[in-house]
Amino acid sequence: MTTIRKCTLDDVPQIAELSRLWADEAVTFAYPASNAEEISKRLGDYFWVAEREGRIVGYTHGVIQTSQYPIFPLNSRFLEIYEVYVHPDYRGDRIGHLLVDHMIAEAESNGVTHALVGSSNLDWQRSVGFYERQGFKMWYVQMYR
């Protein structure tokens, strides 16, 4: 059984290991792994973990921002999701969806009704599909050459 809960300081070493594993997968462009110190600074209401049998198998984090984007009302608050990562051995178990659901529910309980996510994942079609299944819609596309 998977438990979704807020991240604690005790979880940080396991999160750092997952971040290193994510970086080793080389699935995103230009983002290095986060170390324990960096992760510790991000802890709060919008940092969640998935735990199975005492092991952290996934995490997500984001922050509340104030909108200057035309997609949301000016100066409204929104949740910006920065990372969603699930250990490769646990993908396909809907853990990523559960993590995002819990973080969005936390934001909604605090009166935040909008969310935004971007991705630099090289398999962007898969990322888009994941977030579309979570109810997100495409706003814009940014490309490079």
Side-chain angles (χ1 to χ4, degrees), residues 15 18 22 30 34 40-41 51 53 55 57 67 76 79 84 93 97 99 103 113 115 119-121 123 129 136:
I15 300 298
L18 286 175
W22 161 79
S34 297
S40 295
K41 291 177 184 176
E51 182 178 33
E53 298 175 3
R55 178 181 181 199
V57 298
S67 181
S76 65
L79 170 66
V84 177
D93 292 346
H97 290 281
L99 286 163
M103 191 164 55
T113 58
S119 178
S120 63
N121 194 311
D123 187 5
F136 286 82

Short mmCIF file of all heavy atoms in Angstrom, two decimals, residues 15 18 22 30 34 40-41 51 53 55 57 67 76 79 84 93 97 99 103 113 115 119-121 123 129 136:
data_model
loop_
_atom_site.label_atom_id
_atom_site.label_comp_id
_atom_site.label_asym_id
_atom_site.label_seq_id
_atom_site.Cartn_x
_atom_site.Cartn_y
_atom_site.Cartn_z
N ILE A 15 14.85 11.62 -0.62
CA ILE A 15 14.47 12.50 -1.74
C ILE A 15 15.71 12.86 -2.54
O ILE A 15 15.69 12.85 -3.78
CB ILE A 15 13.78 13.78 -1.23
CG1 ILE A 15 12.51 13.46 -0.46
CG2 ILE A 15 13.49 14.74 -2.38
CD1 ILE A 15 11.45 12.77 -1.25
N LEU A 18 16.49 10.01 -4.76
CA LEU A 18 15.57 9.97 -5.90
C LEU A 18 15.91 11.06 -6.92
O LEU A 18 15.84 10.83 -8.13
CB LEU A 18 14.12 10.12 -5.44
CG LEU A 18 13.50 8.91 -4.75
CD1 LEU A 18 12.10 9.26 -4.23
CD2 LEU A 18 13.45 7.71 -5.66
N TRP A 22 16.80 10.48 -10.75
CA TRP A 22 16.13 11.21 -11.83
C TRP A 22 17.16 11.85 -12.76
O TRP A 22 17.05 11.74 -13.98
CB TRP A 22 15.21 12.27 -11.20
CG TRP A 22 14.81 13.37 -12.13
CD1 TRP A 22 13.84 13.32 -13.10
CD2 TRP A 22 15.36 14.68 -12.19
NE1 TRP A 22 13.77 14.52 -13.75
CE2 TRP A 22 14.69 15.38 -13.20
CE3 TRP A 22 16.35 15.33 -11.47
CZ2 TRP A 22 14.97 16.69 -13.53
CZ3 TRP A 22 16.63 16.65 -11.79
CH2 TRP A 22 15.95 17.31 -12.81
N ALA A 30 18.90 20.07 -18.95
CA ALA A 30 19.57 21.15 -18.23
C ALA A 30 19.17 21.32 -16.77
O ALA A 30 19.28 22.41 -16.23
CB ALA A 30 19.40 22.47 -18.97
N SER A 34 19.09 17.65 -7.18
CA SER A 34 19.10 18.52 -6.00
C SER A 34 19.76 17.79 -4.85
O SER A 34 19.53 16.60 -4.64
CB SER A 34 17.67 18.88 -5.61
OG SER A 34 17.04 19.61 -6.63
N SER A 40 15.94 20.54 1.55
CA SER A 40 15.49 20.98 2.88
C SER A 40 14.87 22.37 2.83
O SER A 40 13.92 22.66 3.55
CB SER A 40 16.65 20.98 3.87
OG SER A 40 17.12 19.67 4.08
N LYS A 41 15.40 23.24 1.99
CA LYS A 41 14.89 24.60 1.88
C LYS A 41 13.51 24.66 1.24
O LYS A 41 12.80 25.66 1.37
CB LYS A 41 15.86 25.46 1.07
CG LYS A 41 17.17 25.72 1.78
CD LYS A 41 18.12 26.51 0.90
CE LYS A 41 19.47 26.69 1.58
NZ LYS A 41 20.42 27.37 0.69
N GLU A 51 5.12 6.96 -0.01
CA GLU A 51 5.89 6.01 0.79
C GLU A 51 5.25 4.62 0.68
O GLU A 51 4.04 4.48 0.76
CB GLU A 51 5.89 6.46 2.25
CG GLU A 51 6.71 5.57 3.16
CD GLU A 51 6.71 6.09 4.59
OE1 GLU A 51 5.70 6.68 5.03
OE2 GLU A 51 7.73 5.91 5.26
N GLU A 53 6.09 0.76 2.29
CA GLU A 53 6.87 -0.10 3.17
C GLU A 53 8.10 0.62 3.74
O GLU A 53 9.21 0.09 3.75
CB GLU A 53 7.26 -1.39 2.46
CG GLU A 53 6.06 -2.22 2.03
CD GLU A 53 6.42 -3.44 1.20
OE1 GLU A 53 7.62 -3.72 0.99
OE2 GLU A 53 5.48 -4.11 0.76
N ARG A 55 9.72 3.12 2.55
CA ARG A 55 10.64 3.66 1.54
C ARG A 55 9.93 4.75 0.75
O ARG A 55 8.79 4.57 0.30
CB ARG A 55 11.06 2.53 0.60
CG ARG A 55 11.96 2.96 -0.51
CD ARG A 55 12.31 1.77 -1.40
NE ARG A 55 13.20 2.21 -2.47
CZ ARG A 55 13.39 1.54 -3.57
NH1 ARG A 55 12.79 0.39 -3.77
NH2 ARG A 55 14.19 2.00 -4.50
N VAL A 57 9.15 6.42 -2.49
CA VAL A 57 9.21 5.95 -3.88
C VAL A 57 8.84 7.04 -4.88
O VAL A 57 8.91 6.81 -6.09
CB VAL A 57 8.33 4.70 -4.09
CG1 VAL A 57 8.82 3.55 -3.22
CG2 VAL A 57 6.86 5.00 -3.82
N SER A 67 -0.18 35.44 -9.83
CA SER A 67 -0.22 35.42 -11.29
C SER A 67 0.00 36.78 -11.94
O SER A 67 -0.61 37.77 -11.57
CB SER A 67 -1.57 34.89 -11.77
OG SER A 67 -1.59 34.87 -13.18
N SER A 76 -4.03 36.79 -8.99
CA SER A 76 -4.62 35.64 -8.30
C SER A 76 -3.49 34.68 -7.92
O SER A 76 -2.42 34.69 -8.51
CB SER A 76 -5.64 34.94 -9.18
OG SER A 76 -5.02 34.38 -10.33
N LEU A 79 -0.96 27.48 -7.83
CA LEU A 79 0.07 26.49 -7.47
C LEU A 79 0.92 26.25 -8.70
O LEU A 79 0.39 25.89 -9.76
CB LEU A 79 -0.60 25.19 -7.03
CG LEU A 79 0.33 23.99 -6.85
CD1 LEU A 79 1.31 24.21 -5.70
CD2 LEU A 79 -0.49 22.72 -6.63
N VAL A 84 7.64 16.33 -10.26
CA VAL A 84 6.92 15.11 -9.94
C VAL A 84 7.85 13.98 -10.37
O VAL A 84 8.23 13.90 -11.54
CB VAL A 84 5.58 14.99 -10.69
CG1 VAL A 84 4.90 13.67 -10.37
CG2 VAL A 84 4.67 16.17 -10.38
N ASP A 93 1.72 2.68 -11.25
CA ASP A 93 0.85 2.41 -10.10
C ASP A 93 0.02 3.63 -9.72
O ASP A 93 -0.54 3.67 -8.63
CB ASP A 93 1.69 1.99 -8.88
CG ASP A 93 2.35 0.64 -9.04
OD1 ASP A 93 1.97 -0.11 -9.96
OD2 ASP A 93 3.24 0.32 -8.23
N HIS A 97 -0.02 10.43 -10.09
CA HIS A 97 -1.35 11.05 -10.04
C HIS A 97 -1.77 11.33 -8.60
O HIS A 97 -2.30 12.39 -8.30
CB HIS A 97 -2.38 10.16 -10.74
CG HIS A 97 -2.20 10.10 -12.21
ND1 HIS A 97 -2.63 11.09 -13.05
CD2 HIS A 97 -1.62 9.15 -13.00
CE1 HIS A 97 -2.33 10.77 -14.31
NE2 HIS A 97 -1.71 9.60 -14.29
N LEU A 99 0.18 11.84 -6.01
CA LEU A 99 0.99 12.95 -5.50
C LEU A 99 0.44 14.29 -5.96
O LEU A 99 0.25 15.21 -5.16
CB LEU A 99 2.45 12.79 -5.94
CG LEU A 99 3.25 11.72 -5.24
CD1 LEU A 99 4.52 11.40 -6.04
CD2 LEU A 99 3.61 12.15 -3.82
N MET A 103 -1.34 17.34 -3.64
CA MET A 103 -0.80 18.69 -3.61
C MET A 103 -1.86 19.70 -4.07
O MET A 103 -2.01 20.77 -3.47
CB MET A 103 0.47 18.80 -4.45
CG MET A 103 1.19 20.11 -4.22
SD MET A 103 2.89 20.16 -4.80
CE MET A 103 2.72 19.71 -6.49
N THR A 113 -7.20 27.99 -6.50
CA THR A 113 -8.01 27.20 -7.43
C THR A 113 -7.35 26.95 -8.77
O THR A 113 -7.91 26.23 -9.60
CB THR A 113 -9.37 27.87 -7.66
OG1 THR A 113 -9.15 29.18 -8.18
CG2 THR A 113 -10.17 27.96 -6.37
N ALA A 115 -3.70 25.96 -11.09
CA ALA A 115 -2.39 25.31 -11.04
C ALA A 115 -1.73 25.42 -12.40
O ALA A 115 -2.40 25.48 -13.44
CB ALA A 115 -2.52 23.85 -10.62
N SER A 119 7.32 21.60 -18.22
CA SER A 119 8.18 20.42 -18.22
C SER A 119 9.28 20.57 -19.25
O SER A 119 9.05 21.07 -20.35
CB SER A 119 7.36 19.16 -18.54
OG SER A 119 8.20 18.03 -18.59
N SER A 120 10.46 20.13 -18.86
CA SER A 120 11.57 20.07 -19.81
C SER A 120 11.91 18.61 -20.12
O SER A 120 13.01 18.30 -20.56
CB SER A 120 12.80 20.79 -19.24
OG SER A 120 13.23 20.14 -18.07
N ASN A 121 10.94 17.74 -19.88
CA ASN A 121 11.13 16.32 -20.13
C ASN A 121 11.33 16.08 -21.62
O ASN A 121 10.58 16.60 -22.45
CB ASN A 121 9.90 15.54 -19.62
CG ASN A 121 10.16 14.06 -19.53
OD1 ASN A 121 10.64 13.45 -20.47
ND2 ASN A 121 9.81 13.49 -18.39
N ASP A 123 10.80 13.40 -23.19
CA ASP A 123 9.64 12.64 -23.65
C ASP A 123 8.39 13.46 -23.34
O ASP A 123 7.51 13.07 -22.58
CB ASP A 123 9.60 11.27 -22.96
CG ASP A 123 8.53 10.35 -23.50
OD1 ASP A 123 7.85 10.73 -24.50
OD2 ASP A 123 8.34 9.26 -22.93
N GLY A 129 0.57 13.97 -21.76
CA GLY A 129 -0.51 13.01 -21.51
C GLY A 129 -0.79 12.84 -20.02
O GLY A 129 -1.94 12.78 -19.59
N PHE A 136 -5.20 19.10 -16.70
CA PHE A 136 -4.50 20.26 -17.21
C PHE A 136 -4.75 20.40 -18.71
O PHE A 136 -4.97 19.41 -19.41
CB PHE A 136 -2.99 20.13 -16.97
CG PHE A 136 -2.58 20.35 -15.54
CD1 PHE A 136 -2.68 19.32 -14.62
CD2 PHE A 136 -2.08 21.58 -15.11
CE1 PHE A 136 -2.31 19.50 -13.29
CE2 PHE A 136 -1.70 21.77 -13.79
CZ PHE A 136 -1.82 20.73 -12.88
#
